[in-house]
Amino acid sequence: MIITARGFSNFIQKNTLINFDSIIKVILWIFIVNALLGLTGMKIFTNASEKPVGVFAEPSHLAITLSPIFIYYCILKLPRYYFLIIFLFIWAILIKNLTTIILLMAGFLTTIQNKKDFKKAIILTILFILTFYFYNSDYFKSRLIFSSQTDNISVLAILQGWDIAIQMLHQTSFWGAGFQQFGIMGVSSDILTRTTLLANRELNILDGGTTAAKIVGEFGFFGIYFLLFYLFICYKILKTLFSMDKYLINRSYIFFSSCVISYSFEVFLWGVGYFSPSGFLFLVGLLGLYYDNFLNIKKGNYEPNFET
């Protein structure tokens, strides 16, 4: 996976031409088609979940996989990016998906460059909040209540993952259970019992609900250090993006940055394990930034390479 990711990042570095944005737009339309299929309830695969979205098992999977493309699109303010934001918001409300709402908020932040952008963002945010409050408000409110007594299975899955991760830390003296051992150790959890009763089956036992919980449970101290290091990298990337003219930075830097930043949705919101499209793009972005001298923390140098 690492070798493939490095090859892909190298290909992007050498082929970031004018038509790169056109490729991104084509990929984006593929996601839009899948999103529309999700509204019809059509099941492409027989083993799909209750809310399939085209080729994706559920709405959150589409949102997380879309996130690097969406962030890239918003950073550069490509044509009709506001239309994309409004479309995704309406889609998220109709299909009831909070992950997409949070993705939209992140996209908003990347578009703000001046006072004019800030005013637009404030107006759209107010409109979104009003719509959010009056339409399907009970569902979204239940997603925001992090309690073991909630009936929302998505919230319980996240709480269950962290409950199991903490137990694994204690059982291993904070060293972690090891790679791909999450949920395999003998752990008991009241939240797990409640989730199983509500869903009529065990959910997210092996992936931890979020990738962060899985990393902590499997790698202990080292996992916690990795998460802190990852947050530091995101901070450095965002600092560079907001302090420089985005239109002067080459496309590969922005795309790699989008891949690294957007992985946070899978790490902290809704994870499906390490070997996912977002995980692969995270490696692509990280390796691309490192090998193209974008990210050189040891030397304290964090200036992007502007050569195309």
Side-chain angles (χ1 to χ4, degrees):
M1 187 174 179
I2 294 178
I3 296 175
T4 304
R6 174 53 191 149
F8 189 52
S9 66
N10 187 53
F11 174 81
I12 292 174
Q13 288 170 357
K14 293 180 178 179
N15 295 276
T16 309
L17 305 175
I18 298 176
N19 65 348
F20 187 72
D21 290 347
S22 299
I23 296 173
I24 292 295
K25 291 175 185 177
V26 171
I27 297 174
L28 185 61
W29 274 107
I30 294 174
F31 278 100
I32 290 176
V33 170
N34 277 274
L36 293 174
L37 287 175
L39 296 177
T40 67
M42 180 188 302
K43 287 190 176 183
I44 296 178
F45 304 107
T46 56
N47 59 343
S49 66
E50 294 181 359
K51 288 202 298 184
V53 183
V55 298
F56 297 93
E58 58 181 85
S60 292
H61 290 182
L62 180 140
I64 290 173
T65 308
L66 170 65
S67 58
I69 305 296
F70 178 73
I71 295 297
Y72 175 88
Y73 207 88
C74 288
I75 288 175
L76 289 174
K77 295 183 179 179
L78 294 181
R80 293 181 289 277
Y81 75 96
Y82 267 111
F83 165 78
L84 175 63
I85 291 175
I86 294 172
F87 168 79
L88 288 175
F89 178 77
I90 295 174
W91 179 79
I93 294 295
L94 292 176
I95 208 163
K96 299 181 181 179
N97 185 249
L98 185 62
T99 303
T100 305
I101 299 291
I102 297 175
L103 173 61
L104 292 173
M105 294 172 62
F108 265 142
L109 293 177
T110 63
T111 63
I112 300 175
Q113 292 181 324
N114 49 50
K115 291 183 179 180
K116 184 178 180 181
D117 292 335
F118 183 75
K119 290 179 180 178
K120 288 181 180 179
I122 290 296
I123 293 173
L124 277 178
T125 300
I126 293 174
L127 292 175
F128 285 176
I129 290 175
L130 291 174
T131 306
F132 176 83
Y133 182 79
F134 289 108
Y135 192 88
N136 285 328
S137 59
D138 291 339
Y139 169 80
F140 289 108
K141 287 177 182 177
S142 69
R143 287 286 277 113
L144 296 172
I145 300 175
F146 280 80
S147 168
S148 59
Q149 301 305 312
T150 183
D151 290 332
N152 190 287
I153 296 177
S154 297
V155 173
L156 288 173
I158 294 174
L159 294 176
Q160 166 191 292
W162 281 108
D163 189 25
I164 294 175
I166 292 172
Q167 291 188 51
M168 292 173 70
L169 286 177
H170 288 299
Q171 290 185 19
T172 61
S173 300
F174 284 80
W175 287 105
F179 182 65
Q180 295 292 61
Q181 297 302 304
F182 193 93
I184 295 179
M185 295 180 61
V187 291
S188 59
S189 169
D190 293 336
I191 302 177
L192 171 60
T193 302
R194 181 172 175 77
T195 305
T196 304
L197 288 174
L198 290 174
N200 294 321
R201 60 190 178 95
E202 292 186 342
L203 295 175
N204 304 99
I205 297 297
L206 301 180
D207 60 38
T210 62
T211 303
K214 183 176 176 68
I215 291 173
V216 170
E218 293 185 352
F219 299 102
F221 286 115
F222 298 104
I224 295 172
Y225 175 78
F226 169 79
L227 292 176
L228 293 175
F229 183 68
Y230 170 67
L231 290 174
F232 173 71
I233 291 175
C234 289
Y235 164 75
K236 297 290 283 184
I237 290 174
L238 289 172
K239 183 179 179 181
T240 300
L241 287 175
F242 281 107
S243 63
M244 306 185 77
D245 190 337
K246 300 171 187 178
Y247 298 100
L248 296 179
I249 304 176
N250 65 18
R251 293 299 200 253
S252 61
Y253 172 77
I254 296 177
F255 181 74
F256 292 147
S257 298
S258 300
C259 290
V260 173
I261 295 171
S262 63
Y263 190 54
S264 61
F265 294 102
E266 187 164 322
V267 172
F268 299 109
L269 287 181
W270 193 254
V272 295
Y274 305 129
F275 305 102
S276 64
S278 296
F280 174 75
L281 288 176
F282 166 70
L283 284 177
V284 170
L286 195 63
L287 293 171
L289 292 173
Y290 180 82
Y291 282 104
D292 205 16
N293 201 28
F294 289 134
L295 186 57
N296 196 339
I297 294 175
K298 289 184 179 180
K299 295 182 180 179
N301 177 25
Y302 196 80
E303 293 295 330
N305 178 359
F306 293 100
E307 296 180 2
T308 55

